[in-house]
């Protein structure tokens, strides 16, 4: 069963889906605007997002683009717009699946389970990740930069692995606190900053002169191959 972030502005539909998804065993949090929904995704880090495209404050496609900038969370788009061009555009922008209104809660639940299954397969992690000169090996829990072995603490290794497995994607500090430190968010930014700066030093770089580890101001950090 999954944690589901539901973004839907229609009170009646929202209430009905909340109840139906909860009946299917999911933990559901709902928002009625795009901005509220985005905030919730960043803070709560749900397993899956159900997104209505027609929202009062922002077009759902635009919101989807913003979600994709900060998160790889599976998104099921639920909308009345069943024309093919909207559907294609939505999928192109990173939606994982699509349901047209009216749909049954059973269908939505089946789609949620399907994207979660797919996510598990595609996210089954490799044993080893190579990014530029950097090689991170999960089995032996060591990392090399070129020929040089990096002396990393347990947390630094976990942090590096998490960033490497999401290479090229901006990872928020909240996500790092949740995934690496396994704590719900609560003022952990400073701890993340400190460990990031230690990791940077071991990678032989600085925040102002990054090679692998790039800070995206106000959003988070991403690991990329140097240019
Ligand atoms: Ca709507």
């Amino acid at each position: 069963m999954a944690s589901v972030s539901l973004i839907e502005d229609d009170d009646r539909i929202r209430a009905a889906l909340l109840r139906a998804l909860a009946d299917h065993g999911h933990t559901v949090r709902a928002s009625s605007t795009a901005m509220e929904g985005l905030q919730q995704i960043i803070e709560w880090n749900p397993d899956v997002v159900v997104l209505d495209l027609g929202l009062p404050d922002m077009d759902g496609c635009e919101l989807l683009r913003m979600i994709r900038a900060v998160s790889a969370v599976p998104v099921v788009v639920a909308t009345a717009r069943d024309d093919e061009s909207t559907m294609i555009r939505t999928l192109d922008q990173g939606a994982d699946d699509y349901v047209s209104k009216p749909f049954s809660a059973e269908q939505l639940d089946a789609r949620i389970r399907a994207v979660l299954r797919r996510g598990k397969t595609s996210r089954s992690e490799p044993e080893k990740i190579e990014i530029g000169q950097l090689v991170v090996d999960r089995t032996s829990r060591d990392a090399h930069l070129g020929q040089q072995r990096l002396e990393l603490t347990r947390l630094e290794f976990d942090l590096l692995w998490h960033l490497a497995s999401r290479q090229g994607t901006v990872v928020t500090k909240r996500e790092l606190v949740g995934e690496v430190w396994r704590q719900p968010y609560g003022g952990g930014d400073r701890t993340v900053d400190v460990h990031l700066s230690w990791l940077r030093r071991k990678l032989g770089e600085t925040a102002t002169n990054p090679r692998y580890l790039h800070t995206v101001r106000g959003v988070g950090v991403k690991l990329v191959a140097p240019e």
Side-chain angles (χ1 to χ4, degrees):
M1 298 301 103
S3 53
V4 183
S5 206
L6 170 66
I7 308 172
E8 167 63 70
D9 64 316
D10 184 302
D11 293 339
R12 204 173 44 81
I13 297 175
R14 194 175 59 247
L17 287 179
L18 249 172
R19 199 171 43 241
L21 291 174
D23 284 348
H24 281 86
H26 301 297
T27 306
V28 190
R29 292 189 193 174
S31 7
S32 54
T33 67
M35 288 324 289
E36 198 190 319
L38 183 63
Q39 185 78 18
Q40 186 182 84
I41 291 165
I42 292 170
E43 286 176 4
W44 190 37
N45 196 18
D47 295 327
V48 61
V49 173
V50 176
L51 172 65
D52 171 36
L53 287 189
L55 293 167
D57 54 333
M58 189 188 291
D59 184 73
C61 288
E62 180 65 16
L63 175 60
L64 182 58
R65 218 175 44 74
M66 293 173 76
I67 293 171
R68 278 292 162 260
V70 295
S71 171
V73 65
V75 175
V76 177
V77 163
T79 179
R81 293 182 225 169
D82 58 356
D83 63 292
E84 198 172 40
S85 65
T86 306
M87 182 174 79
I88 292 167
R89 191 156 73 99
T90 313
L91 294 170
D92 275 348
Q93 275 170 335
D96 295 84
D97 207 346
Y98 188 96
V99 280
S100 297
K101 290 175 184 170
F103 54 85
S104 64
E106 281 65 34
Q107 186 192 162
L108 181 59
D109 176 57
R111 305 242 175 199
I112 287 173
R113 283 184 283 117
V115 297
L116 289 174
R117 266 198 311 275
R118 282 208 295 277
K120 277 208 183 75
T121 328
S122 67
R123 255 183 274 143
S124 69
E125 293 190 328
E127 298 298 307
K128 194 192 260 190
I129 299 174
E130 295 189 34
I131 302 167
Q133 296 278 302
L134 181 66
V135 181
V136 192
D137 190 323
R138 189 165 62 124
T139 320
S140 57
R141 288 187 65 86
D142 62 15
H144 286 81
L145 188 59
Q147 296 300 313
Q148 193 202 345
R149 183 173 185 272
L150 302 176
E151 297 292 333
L152 302 175
T153 64
R154 185 183 61 80
L155 265 175
E156 285 163 1
F157 181 86
D158 290 346
L159 182 59
L160 181 62
W161 178 264
H162 189 80
L163 292 170
S165 67
R166 303 281 307 276
Q167 65 170 295
T169 313
V170 182
V171 182
T172 65
K173 288 178 190 172
R174 281 163 199 216
E175 178 179 334
L176 290 173
V177 170
E179 296 289 317
V180 177
W181 277 262
R182 304 204 171 277
Q183 285 169 15
Y185 180 70
D189 273 22
R190 181 84 191 112
T191 311
V192 176
D193 283 338
V194 169
H195 282 82
L196 283 172
S197 77
W198 288 340
L199 191 55
R200 275 206 175 90
R201 200 178 315 159
K202 290 179 180 179
L203 289 168
E205 60 186 60
T206 61
T208 48
N209 203 359
R211 293 175 65 234
Y212 287 91
L213 211 48
H214 293 254
T215 299
V216 180
R217 198 174 288 277
V219 186
V221 62
K222 67 176 173 182
L223 186 67
V224 294
E227 302 200 333

